Amino acid sequence: MALGSALTWGAADFAGGMLSRRLPSAAVVGVSQACSLVLLLAVLPFVPASAGWGWLGWSVLAGAAGSLALVCFYRALAFGTVGVVSPISALAVSIPVVAGLLAGEQPHTLQLAGIVVAFAGAVMASGPELRGEQPVKQQAVWFALAAAVGFGVTMLAIARGSASSTMLTMVGMRSTSVIGFVVAAIVLRTVGGVAASDLPKLVLLGLGDVSANALLGFATTMDLLSVTAVLSALYPVVTVGLAAVLLHERLKPVQLAGVLLAFAGVALIAAG
């Protein structure tokens, strides 16, 4: 499930970043998340009810942090290349990993080695390419750093909320973000130029993002947060791969080595 989260996240992040080159980042996030909320509410009656409200506060935190992180991430991709943004955003995993270890999690030796190797591989596979076009790159770096913090907090909040109910955490998360974007749209009196022809893409984007979040949430209920978070954080490998195939961004030797390291890390975690 954690690897499925990485695959889905990577594809959704790439698609959202490309849409943000044509539409405002906030509009892409807001409308796609509104679409995903409708889908969640349609599925919710078929999901067993949760016992308690332990998910509520964490879902609000995840919704606020996640939506802001996505806006920053898409904005960063609009400014710079995938090779600049992805490695920095991948640093998000350090927040849930540290939180898990501080909470007393004790991964096996092979899992610890896999965590280090997989994380290094994700960063290497993403670049970095921080030279040239300094004004543009610097804006991309700052937005990517903000996204990393937001993604890390979101991962941690999803895990904590999922301990009570993964699906209700998703609903609360999306409700929080959508309410925020609706208020912003009312105040600004605009939906960012989103046209009816954009809706199918935004529906798919919203479905991909919420699916990735849900897969991570379910995964954290089955294994250590410090392990599942690292596996889900391999999404930059997918994003960079799509950029190489669809945008013809050339992979450097360090990126190819990073892909191999990421797979080696997954193997070590599985062996542990």
Side-chain angles (χ1 to χ4, degrees):
M1 284 188 176
L3 288 173
S5 175
L7 178 63
T8 312
W9 243 335
D13 284 348
F14 176 82
M18 296 306 99
L19 282 173
S20 294
R21 294 185 175 182
R22 184 170 55 84
L23 297 170
S25 302
V28 171
V29 176
V31 176
S32 65
Q33 293 196 352
C35 295
S36 67
L37 177 59
V38 173
L39 296 173
L40 279 172
L41 292 176
V43 173
L44 190 59
F46 304 98
V47 178
S50 169
W53 295 87
W55 54 273
L56 183 57
W58 292 112
S59 70
V60 172
L61 176 60
S67 56
L68 290 174
L70 277 175
V71 171
C72 290
F73 183 78
Y74 293 162
R75 189 66 173 161
L77 285 180
F79 276 122
T81 63
V82 173
V84 173
V85 176
S86 290
I88 299 173
S89 69
L91 298 176
V93 73
S94 59
I95 294 177
V97 167
V98 170
L101 295 176
L102 290 177
E105 292 184 355
Q106 297 180 339
H108 299 300
T109 302
L110 282 178
Q111 288 179 317
L112 282 173
I115 288 171
V116 174
V117 172
F119 177 67
V123 174
M124 289 172 62
S126 304
E129 303 166 356
L130 299 178
R131 293 179 295 177
E133 302 178 27
Q134 286 304 315
V136 174
K137 301 292 185 179
Q138 288 173 7
Q139 289 185 348
V141 166
W142 285 114
F143 277 113
L145 283 172
V149 175
F151 284 144
V153 173
T154 302
M155 285 179 164
L156 178 58
I158 288 174
R160 297 296 185 244
S162 294
S164 176
S165 171
T166 298
M167 286 304 297
L168 288 178
T169 299
M170 295 298 103
V171 172
M173 179 181 177
R174 280 293 166 264
S175 298
T176 299
S177 59
V178 169
I179 289 172
F181 283 114
V182 167
V183 171
I186 292 173
V187 171
L188 299 174
R189 298 181 180 180
T190 179
V191 292
V194 175
S197 59
D198 297 316
L199 287 179
K201 296 178 182 178
L202 291 171
V203 169
L204 291 175
L205 176 60
L207 178 60
D209 184 55
V210 77
S211 297
N213 290 333
L215 286 170
L216 172 61
F218 284 121
T220 60
T221 65
M222 301 176 183
D223 208 333
L224 300 179
L225 173 60
S226 52
V227 171
T228 54
V230 170
L231 292 177
S232 68
L234 294 177
Y235 65 86
V237 175
V238 179
T239 307
V240 170
L242 289 172
V245 173
L246 300 179
L247 301 181
H248 306 293
E249 290 187 8
R250 298 182 62 183
L251 293 179
K252 297 183 177 181
V254 67
Q255 293 177 295
L256 292 174
V259 171
L260 295 177
L261 274 181
F263 286 127
V266 170
L268 287 172
I269 290 172

